[in-house]
Amino acid sequence: MLAVDGVISGVLAAFFLSLYIGPVPFPISALISGLLNVALVRTALQWTSSSRIASLPLWTWLATVVGLTFPGPGDDAVFSAQWSLLLLMVVGALPPALLLYRRNHAR
């Protein structure tokens, strides 16, 4: 179920990434997605002792975001600005990856 939540998080982050406050882009979904991914990975770490299984929500999130970068059948794209996609990938994936890294090297 946490892996499915990773997919849902990726889809929602992609859809809300292009929010604007007036004329200024406001990619708040990148920050929310990063926090949600940390919560998903932390919850998975409570259910299993394997870091590989606990990283499954992060991997499904990454696969979803990467899958949404490809154009659709009408040659339309989900992501309009490349800087916001880079921001989403860094802010969404780095905190849970650091959580897993810190857990693996704390031993």
Side-chain angles (χ1 to χ4, degrees):
M1 288 306 297
L2 293 173
V4 173
D5 290 338
V7 171
I8 294 169
S9 172
V11 169
L12 290 176
F15 287 153
F16 290 110
L17 190 62
S18 61
L19 286 178
Y20 278 80
I21 294 181
V24 179
F26 191 65
I28 190 67
S29 70
L31 178 65
I32 293 171
S33 186
L35 294 173
L36 182 60
N37 287 340
V38 167
L40 290 174
V41 170
R42 184 172 287 159
T43 303
L45 285 170
Q46 291 176 355
W47 282 86
T48 183
S49 60
S50 172
S51 293
R52 290 181 183 176
I53 295 173
S55 67
L56 195 56
L58 176 61
W59 286 112
T60 57
W61 180 85
L62 279 171
T64 302
V65 172
V66 168
L68 289 173
T69 61
F70 297 114
D75 235 12
D76 53 346
V78 174
F79 299 107
S80 58
Q82 298 300 325
W83 69 269
S84 62
L85 174 62
L86 180 64
L87 181 72
L88 176 65
M89 296 288 277
V90 170
V91 175
L94 191 61
L98 288 174
L99 176 70
L100 288 167
Y101 177 80
R102 192 171 42 174
R103 182 184 181 272
N104 285 337
H105 291 326
R107 296 177 186 176

Short mmCIF file of all heavy atoms in Angstrom, two decimals, residues 18-27 83:
data_model
loop_
_atom_site.label_atom_id
_atom_site.label_comp_id
_atom_site.label_asym_id
_atom_site.label_seq_id
_atom_site.Cartn_x
_atom_site.Cartn_y
_atom_site.Cartn_z
N SER A 18 2.82 23.10 -11.28
CA SER A 18 2.76 24.35 -12.06
C SER A 18 1.83 25.39 -11.45
O SER A 18 1.25 26.20 -12.16
CB SER A 18 2.32 24.03 -13.49
OG SER A 18 1.03 23.45 -13.47
N LEU A 19 1.68 25.39 -10.12
CA LEU A 19 0.87 26.40 -9.46
C LEU A 19 1.56 27.76 -9.51
O LEU A 19 2.78 27.85 -9.44
CB LEU A 19 0.63 26.02 -8.00
CG LEU A 19 -0.36 24.91 -7.73
CD1 LEU A 19 -0.43 24.64 -6.23
CD2 LEU A 19 -1.73 25.25 -8.25
N TYR A 20 0.76 28.79 -9.61
CA TYR A 20 1.26 30.16 -9.63
C TYR A 20 0.55 30.98 -8.56
O TYR A 20 -0.63 30.77 -8.27
CB TYR A 20 0.97 30.81 -10.99
CG TYR A 20 1.98 30.47 -12.05
CD1 TYR A 20 1.92 29.26 -12.72
CD2 TYR A 20 2.98 31.36 -12.38
CE1 TYR A 20 2.84 28.94 -13.70
CE2 TYR A 20 3.91 31.05 -13.36
CZ TYR A 20 3.82 29.85 -14.02
OH TYR A 20 4.74 29.54 -14.98
N ILE A 21 1.28 31.90 -7.96
CA ILE A 21 0.69 32.92 -7.10
C ILE A 21 0.91 34.23 -7.84
O ILE A 21 2.02 34.77 -7.85
CB ILE A 21 1.33 32.94 -5.70
CG1 ILE A 21 1.02 31.66 -4.98
CG2 ILE A 21 0.85 34.14 -4.93
CD1 ILE A 21 1.57 31.58 -3.58
N GLY A 22 -0.14 34.67 -8.50
CA GLY A 22 -0.01 35.81 -9.39
C GLY A 22 0.84 35.43 -10.58
O GLY A 22 0.64 34.37 -11.18
N PRO A 23 1.86 36.22 -10.92
CA PRO A 23 2.72 35.87 -12.04
C PRO A 23 3.94 35.01 -11.64
O PRO A 23 4.73 34.63 -12.48
CB PRO A 23 3.19 37.23 -12.56
CG PRO A 23 3.22 38.08 -11.34
CD PRO A 23 2.05 37.60 -10.50
N VAL A 24 4.05 34.70 -10.36
CA VAL A 24 5.24 34.00 -9.86
C VAL A 24 4.94 32.51 -9.72
O VAL A 24 3.97 32.12 -9.07
CB VAL A 24 5.66 34.58 -8.49
CG1 VAL A 24 6.86 33.86 -7.94
CG2 VAL A 24 5.91 36.06 -8.59
N PRO A 25 5.79 31.64 -10.30
CA PRO A 25 5.60 30.20 -10.11
C PRO A 25 5.85 29.82 -8.65
O PRO A 25 6.78 30.33 -8.02
CB PRO A 25 6.61 29.54 -11.04
CG PRO A 25 7.54 30.60 -11.46
CD PRO A 25 6.91 31.93 -11.19
N PHE A 26 5.02 28.95 -8.13
CA PHE A 26 5.09 28.56 -6.72
C PHE A 26 5.01 27.03 -6.63
O PHE A 26 3.94 26.47 -6.40
CB PHE A 26 3.93 29.21 -5.97
CG PHE A 26 4.04 29.09 -4.48
CD1 PHE A 26 5.06 29.71 -3.78
CD2 PHE A 26 3.10 28.36 -3.77
CE1 PHE A 26 5.14 29.61 -2.41
CE2 PHE A 26 3.18 28.24 -2.40
CZ PHE A 26 4.19 28.87 -1.72
N PRO A 27 6.14 26.33 -6.81
CA PRO A 27 6.12 24.86 -6.83
C PRO A 27 6.10 24.25 -5.43
O PRO A 27 7.01 23.56 -5.02
CB PRO A 27 7.39 24.51 -7.59
CG PRO A 27 8.32 25.64 -7.28
CD PRO A 27 7.45 26.86 -7.14
N TRP A 83 13.10 23.47 -15.03
CA TRP A 83 13.64 23.79 -13.71
C TRP A 83 12.72 23.27 -12.62
O TRP A 83 13.19 22.84 -11.57
CB TRP A 83 13.90 25.28 -13.56
CG TRP A 83 12.64 26.10 -13.52
CD1 TRP A 83 11.99 26.67 -14.57
CD2 TRP A 83 11.88 26.41 -12.36
NE1 TRP A 83 10.88 27.31 -14.14
CE2 TRP A 83 10.77 27.17 -12.79
CE3 TRP A 83 12.01 26.11 -11.01
CZ2 TRP A 83 9.81 27.65 -11.91
CZ3 TRP A 83 11.04 26.60 -10.13
CH2 TRP A 83 9.97 27.35 -10.58
#
